[in-house]
Amino acid sequence: MTTLGGALVIVDKATLQATVHLPVVTDQSVVSLTYAGGLIIGGTSIHGGYTVPSPTQSEARLFGWAVSSGKAFEVTPVPGAEAIPGLVVDSAGLVWGLADGQLFAFDVATRQIVHRVQLAADTGSTAGELARDRSGRIYALVQNHLVFSFDPATRTSQLVVDQKAQHLAVHPDGRIFISDDHVLYRVTAG
């Protein structure tokens, strides 16, 4: 029997014992994770794997999880978005997420979205990745081909490259890498 849903598995590094929490968000898969404000922060997708039923939920959720006590919150950061495939934390502790071509900033303490920027038109895409360099600049791979650079200090973004890619990585020194299947590209910004 196939079902929708996903687990959050927490492994105790000292004992190597795993604790499985299921479901985390009703009928949604956990597709991105980060840590901020003393909580595990996760993004979900309304979709499951290849053989699961059609989605029963209409919007992806952002959740906070306290290791000792369980789910702390659950919110919809981007209405209508089907997935939140990327999360990063900036130097001020804000969680930045990517959903449906939109970059959003979430304040864990207040549980509020404090900033939004539309990087690309509503995409309907469930794919995407975020990365951050040492200077604090955030990079987003949107629609599997658009790489944007975003400066949280000035709240400005720019398109870096339009190149088919499935993955994004940024070295702390700012070097940008994308990959398309088995081909790795180094991108020069600027």
Side-chain angles (χ1 to χ4, degrees), residues 58-176:
S58 60
E59 298 175 317
R61 306 287 283 167
L62 187 71
F63 68 88
W65 190 275
V67 174
S68 61
S69 58
K71 189 162 35 175
F73 68 85
E74 183 179 314
V75 299
T76 300
V78 179
E82 295 182 4
I84 303 167
L87 297 170
V88 295
V89 180
D90 72 14
S91 60
L94 290 177
V95 174
W96 289 86
L98 179 65
D100 203 19
Q102 187 176 122
L103 189 63
F104 64 87
F106 180 77
D107 184 318
V108 176
T110 65
R111 312 277 202 274
Q112 299 290 317
I113 301 298
V114 295
H115 188 72
R116 296 178 194 274
V117 61
Q118 194 71 44
L119 298 175
D122 292 339
T123 66
S125 174
T126 59
E129 295 193 3
L130 290 180
R132 186 174 166 264
D133 69 17
R134 186 180 9 244
S135 73
R137 186 168 291 280
I138 296 171
Y139 297 86
L141 173 60
V142 180
Q143 294 177 316
N144 285 337
H145 70 99
L146 301 171
V147 177
F148 290 91
S149 170
F150 178 77
D151 183 343
T154 63
R155 303 289 203 254
T156 58
S157 65
Q158 69 178 34
L159 179 64
V160 175
V161 68
D162 184 346
Q163 168 72 43
K164 184 179 174 206
Q166 289 85 36
H167 300 288
L168 165 73
V170 177
H171 189 277
D173 69 10
R175 287 180 290 163
I176 306 164

